[in-house]
Amino acid sequence: MARQGLHRCAARVLLLVLLALLEHVPVLSLDVSGGRRSTQGERDPKAWGDLKIYIYEGPEKWRNFSAWGDISDSDYGLDQLFPALLKMSAYVTTDPDEADYFVLDAWLFWPDASRSFDEVHEWLSAAGPWWARTEGRDHVFVLTADLARCEYNHGSGHARHGAPNAYMANSIMLHHYGAGLHSKENWCSQDYVRTRWMGGMDPASLLANSLRSKHRCGASDSHSDANGLACLPSQRGERLPRLCHIPYQDIVVPPPKFERQAVQECRQCHYSKEPSKSWKIPYVPEHDVPHGSRNGSMLLFQATPGHFWYEAWYSVGARQNVAMMWGEPMGQIPEPGMEMWVNVGADRGGQYWDMVHEAVFCLASTGTGWGSRFKVMLTHGCLPLLASDGIRAEWEEQIDLRHYAVRLPLSAAYKAPQLIRKWLADGTVAKMQANLECAWRLHWWRRPHGRAFEVTMCELRRRKARVPRGTKMHVDFKACTLTCIPGEEPIQLR
């Protein structure tokens, strides 16, 4: 009996020891670096101490890993990756009353594209008084939908996203689509220019007309006006032009695509059949990518012949105009140095990525609402040539992108060959490529190299400090530092 009692006592002691050890075992979480899984056992040291964020843990059905797995490599993967990075940071507070901002850990768009903001609003209102006290102004959402807010504001008749979300109008959206206005018109048909007046595809005219119009949207229909301008009833009953991106309220951030080798097959993760090249970049020595030659194409852009003409809406006509100006794959003689990569099916192939690593500029047009080309091209060392009139790129409101990218209006696209040759000759290209040695980190999320999370936190701090809108963050590209608020010490980005 004494021996059995001793065994039971020893078992209790062992159990207590195991429980004590388990309290200190880091919880498994989404990988934020290069491996498949990582832990939350350490905090990120690069943090400002004057910013506090409270995280709502939404219902498990809103972030079901068991059903979907790790989709953070996809175009829509920030739903998963951003909360994982935030939880590893020192910004998190468990006291909502001291929080400057609130973040909901939920996958609002993909793969569960039926998430209704009505449902989200109801849940937040029941979670405590914090939503109501500011009407959501200090609440931040990750919204990876192709058209950002415009994917959701279609009214109660919309099958995918539920009722109008005018009550979400005050919140901050982290998204990828920097368009202000969005037209519902499908202008791809060859006969469209005869059946519709093309002023409906002119965002500047639409906005000017709506501002001068008594009813703003100018029609009785609750969703669009005669020109196809999408509209949304406000909380006061006015019908206003629907903005996909609200400037200086929402934040256009980079997508997390191509930052590591895919850990599983998933839709929208890696298009290329050569993933070993698509995710390797010249700025990481262990990736073993040639760096510094850049003696390939002056400007590279990619197209799929089967979709090229009837999907002009995909790039808002940018690729079609460029092709017709400089030689498209239908037999015209191309402009020297202007290279169009015509892929077969969904296979971009290893040759395409070799060309990207050698090209000087790469066309960065928008696509299906937004595109990952801007981020992917610059992180692969190719200077982005933005051709997306009226659509703001990632960080365009926060950072002076002129130091490593060019925005070229489509009306001036015909001059691209001459301009690029001039920039090559006068040393502009060399300076911009040198700046990319640091700047690529601003568009990369995963650790240890990524600093996109720091840029996001910096922007929230600047709003708290009431830094005037339009004041850019200062990046010292030679020292590779970021000064968040004027007058304070910069942080190291490397």
Side-chain angles (χ1 to χ4, degrees):
M1 293 292 291
R3 183 175 296 177
Q4 291 178 352
L6 181 62
H7 287 170
R8 285 195 296 269
C9 182
R12 291 193 188 99
V13 171
L14 179 60
L15 179 60
L16 290 172
V17 171
L18 288 173
L19 290 174
L21 290 174
L22 285 173
E23 288 182 355
H24 298 283
V25 173
V27 180
L28 286 176
S29 68
L30 184 75
D31 170 52
V32 298
S33 58
R36 183 178 178 83
R37 305 288 280 180
S38 66
T39 62
Q40 293 182 0
E42 59 181 275
R43 295 290 188 179
D44 192 327
K46 293 180 179 296
W48 292 279
D50 58 347
L51 185 67
K52 299 296 181 183
I53 299 176
Y54 180 79
I55 301 176
Y56 293 104
E57 295 290 350
E60 181 62 28
K61 65 178 182 178
W62 293 0
R63 42 188 173 83
N64 191 347
F65 265 104
S66 62
W68 301 104
D70 183 350
I71 60 170
S72 62
D73 300 297
S74 72
D75 278 328
Y76 310 111
L78 203 63
D79 280 327
Q80 289 186 343
L81 190 57
F82 181 80
L85 288 165
L86 180 58
K87 289 176 182 179
M88 288 182 63
S89 76
Y91 299 111
V92 178
T93 178
T94 57
D95 181 1
D97 289 321
E98 72 169 8
D100 301 301
Y101 296 97
F102 296 78
V103 170
L104 175 65
D105 185 2
W107 310 345
L108 297 179
F109 178 66
W110 189 80
D112 186 2
S114 62
R115 180 73 54 239
S116 165
F117 267 129
D118 288 340
E119 182 182 9
V120 173
H121 175 254
E122 182 180 355
W123 188 90
L124 289 172
S125 298
W130 307 289
W131 171 269
R133 70 184 182 185
T134 64
E135 295 183 322
R137 286 178 173 82
D138 51 5
H139 281 58
V140 181
F141 299 92
V142 178
L143 189 63
T144 60
D146 287 4
L147 301 178
R149 289 177 178 271
C150 287
E151 196 84 22
Y152 287 80
N153 297 341
H154 290 280
S156 56
H158 193 270
R160 293 177 66 193
H161 302 306
N165 59 83
Y167 42 70
M168 308 297 287
N170 298 324
S171 300
I172 301 168
M173 303 292 174
L174 307 182
H175 64 77
H176 309 304
Y177 183 43
L181 299 176
H182 174 65
S183 173
K184 295 170 64 178
E185 298 288 358
N186 181 3
W187 54 276
C188 311
S189 168
Q190 294 181 2
D191 295 329
Y192 183 76
V193 294
R194 289 292 302 127
T195 59
R196 294 286 295 178
W197 187 253
M198 290 305 289
M201 288 305 300
D202 183 348
S205 295
L206 284 175
L207 180 59
N209 291 340
S210 69
L211 291 176
R212 297 294 295 175
S213 170
K214 179 179 179 181
H215 299 293
R216 301 291 180 93
C217 284
S220 59
D221 178 77
S222 63
H223 302 310
S224 64
D225 75 351
N227 285 321
L229 178 64
C231 305
L232 175 70
S234 72
Q235 290 176 308
R236 295 187 297 273
E238 298 174 301
R239 293 180 55 256
L240 304 176
R242 186 177 74 210
L243 298 180
C244 306
H245 166 70
I246 302 179
Y248 301 104
Q249 176 177 318
D250 300 334
I251 307 174
V252 184
V253 299
K257 187 178 180 181
F258 293 132
E259 293 192 3
R260 65 170 182 177
Q261 190 169 16
V263 299
Q264 68 178 50
E265 291 295 327
C266 81
R267 181 171 173 261
Q268 304 289 358
C269 282
H270 292 266
Y271 293 103
S272 175
K273 293 181 180 178
E274 295 286 342
S276 61
K277 290 188 177 181
S278 64
W279 64 277
K280 291 186 175 181
I281 63 174
Y283 304 112
V284 179
E286 54 266 32
H287 286 186
D288 194 27
V289 173
H291 183 37
S293 56
R294 296 292 159 187
N295 50 11
S297 308
M298 284 197 312
L299 179 65
L300 174 69
F301 59 111
Q302 178 264 347
T304 305
H307 301 274
F308 192 67
W309 292 114
Y310 70 81
E311 287 193 353
W313 54 268
Y314 186 84
S315 65
V316 199
R319 291 187 299 179
Q320 288 70 23
N321 278 283
V322 166
M324 291 301 292
M325 290 176 191
W326 303 328
E328 55 92 22
M330 302 294 181
Q332 295 184 18
I333 299 175
E335 173 78 21
M338 302 299 186
E339 186 80 32
M340 172 181 280
W341 170 264
V342 182
N343 64 307
V344 179
D347 179 16
R348 287 180 179 160
Q351 183 184 355
Y352 171 72
W353 294 105
D354 291 339
M355 295 171 70
V356 169
H357 292 145
E358 294 176 359
V360 178
F361 281 93
C362 291
L363 188 70
S365 61
T366 189
T368 55
W370 58 272
S372 53
R373 294 165 187 80
F374 183 81
K375 175 256 180 71
V376 173
M377 295 302 103
L378 73 87
T379 56
H380 283 71
C382 191
L383 298 171
L385 186 74
L386 273 167
S388 54
D389 291 1
I391 302 176
R392 301 192 183 194
E394 58 202 55
W395 302 146
E396 192 165 355
E397 293 175 353
Q398 286 76 35
I399 297 170
D400 190 349
L401 301 181
R402 292 176 299 176
H403 293 286
Y404 53 92
V406 171
R407 177 178 279 282
L408 192 66
L410 280 180
S411 60
Y414 72 97
K415 298 182 66 175
Q418 300 95 312
L419 290 172
I420 293 174
R421 291 189 181 98
K422 174 184 179 297
W423 297 330
L424 282 165
D426 65 14
T428 299
V429 165
K431 293 178 182 177
M432 295 174 70
Q433 288 174 334
N435 291 337
L436 269 187
E437 299 276 347
C438 172
W440 72 273
R441 299 170 185 271
L442 304 171
H443 301 263
W444 195 270
W445 290 96
R446 293 187 184 272
R447 303 307 192 197
H449 308 291
R451 294 294 173 258
F453 180 77
E454 277 68 36
V455 179
T456 308
M457 295 298 104
C458 173
E459 176 61 17
L460 294 178
R461 288 186 68 237
R462 288 160 61 88
R463 295 180 183 195
K464 179 185 175 183
R466 301 186 182 278
V467 175
R469 290 180 178 180
T471 304
K472 305 290 187 180
M473 301 176 189
H474 177 69
V475 180
D476 186 328
F477 294 99
K478 290 185 178 180
C480 202
T481 59
L482 171 69
T483 301
C484 182
I485 297 176
E488 71 179 14
E489 288 294 319
I491 65 164
Q492 181 60 239
L493 297 174
R494 287 193 180 94

